[in-house]
Amino acid sequence: MGLLRNIFGPSKEEIWIQLEQEINAQFIMKKSFLIDDSKVVLEHKNWTIVLDVFHRSTGKSTIPYTRMRCAYVNKDDFRFEIFKEGFFATIGKYFGMEDIEIEDKIFDDTFVLKSKNPDKIKALFKDEDIKNNFLALSSLAQFQVKVKDDEGYFGQHFPEGVDELYLEVVGIIKDIAQLKILFKLFAEIMDRLCEIGSAYETRPEIDLK
């Protein structure tokens, strides 16, 4: 174990246990021989923010993704997607959504914002902390943040009016500083969605744990 740790660094579980202690979250170990459903769960006001890892098959290989989710009651059906400039894989899926700039050259050169509501997305990014935390994560490869209505055919289906703030990043993040920024970013986005009238502070009737 010591040799493997020297080669590959600390395990995901070690990092998540440290994260649990540093942000006052809960590390839930659910691991069997073939399946790892372990999670880190943070309660922020009436919302539950969940960090986990899932795998997606490409046919020839299976790629791990770090994922973060937070279900909430969407007040006005505001949806958006944010991804790094140059990451074109999902653009075709969002027909009707505009490319939006927030008049910050560094941010606009780094990220693509898409939404059917330009005023709302600009209002979201008037929060400097949200913008700065996105920029702090810009070294991550192929990551996206979006609002979606459920987790698709093979995932959870949400009650009417409940949406999910969702992030995925290619690979398993084991940088404790980046993981702390991700949790902070999600908490800030949820607070800001309430401030701009796009989320209720009530707890949604869904359990992501």
Side-chain angles (χ1 to χ4, degrees):
M1 181 65 72
L3 177 61
L4 291 175
R5 194 180 192 282
N6 288 337
I7 296 173
F8 298 107
S11 68
K12 179 192 71 178
E13 286 75 19
E14 288 178 275
I15 295 297
W16 283 10
I17 289 170
Q18 181 183 347
L19 182 65
E20 173 190 44
Q21 297 167 348
E22 292 192 13
I23 67 172
N24 194 29
Q26 180 186 13
F27 173 47
I28 301 173
M29 173 74 86
K30 292 183 179 179
K31 193 172 184 179
S32 64
F33 179 68
L34 295 175
I35 300 173
D36 184 356
D37 287 329
S38 300
K39 298 175 175 63
V40 178
V41 178
L42 177 70
E43 300 293 339
H44 175 66
K45 299 181 179 178
N46 285 325
W47 303 299
T48 300
I49 303 172
V50 179
L51 169 74
D52 63 6
V53 169
F54 75 98
H55 293 78
R56 183 175 288 147
S57 175
T58 64
K60 296 182 179 179
S61 61
T62 301
I63 300 173
Y65 288 78
T66 299
R67 175 174 63 176
M68 187 169 281
R69 298 169 290 155
C70 180
Y72 69 98
V73 181
N74 193 329
K75 193 174 181 179
D76 61 358
D77 202 35
F78 171 49
R79 292 193 176 96
F80 58 85
E81 184 179 9
I82 304 163
F83 50 92
K84 288 181 66 176
E85 184 71 55
F87 180 44
F88 298 110
T90 61
I91 285 180
K93 298 180 182 179
Y94 292 88
F95 180 78
M97 284 192 175
E98 293 184 34
D99 269 329
I100 300 160
E101 294 189 348
I102 60 170
E103 299 179 359
D104 179 310
K105 180 171 174 51
I106 294 176
F107 189 93
D108 291 333
D109 287 347
T110 306
F111 295 101
V112 175
L113 307 183
K114 284 189 167 287
S115 177
K116 292 182 179 178
N117 194 326
D119 291 337
K120 281 280 184 175
I121 198 75
K122 290 177 181 178
L124 178 67
F125 278 94
K126 282 186 178 178
D127 187 305
E128 290 293 322
D129 289 333
I130 291 176
K131 186 166 61 176
N132 290 336
N133 280 322
F134 266 102
L135 288 170
L137 296 168
S138 60
S139 62
L140 294 174
Q142 295 186 13
F143 86 95
Q144 57 180 318
V145 176
K146 60 185 176 182
V147 172
K148 60 180 187 174
D149 56 0
D150 60 36
E151 297 184 5
Y153 185 79
F154 295 104
Q156 284 182 284
H157 292 275
F158 300 155
E160 184 73 23
V162 175
D163 282 347
E164 183 178 66
L165 181 64
Y166 178 93
L167 169 142
E168 68 177 51
V169 184
V170 177
I172 299 175
I173 301 176
K174 295 199 292 184
D175 184 306
I176 192 75
Q178 289 178 335
L179 291 169
K180 289 166 73 172
I181 291 172
L182 287 176
F183 273 103
K184 187 172 185 289
L185 176 62
F186 258 52
E188 290 168 346
I189 291 176
M190 291 311 308
D191 288 343
R192 185 63 177 159
L193 287 174
C194 284
E195 290 173 4
I196 65 176
S198 291
Y200 288 106
E201 293 188 7
T202 53
R203 183 174 292 278
E205 294 180 5
I206 188 78
D207 186 4
L208 297 177
K209 293 186 284 186

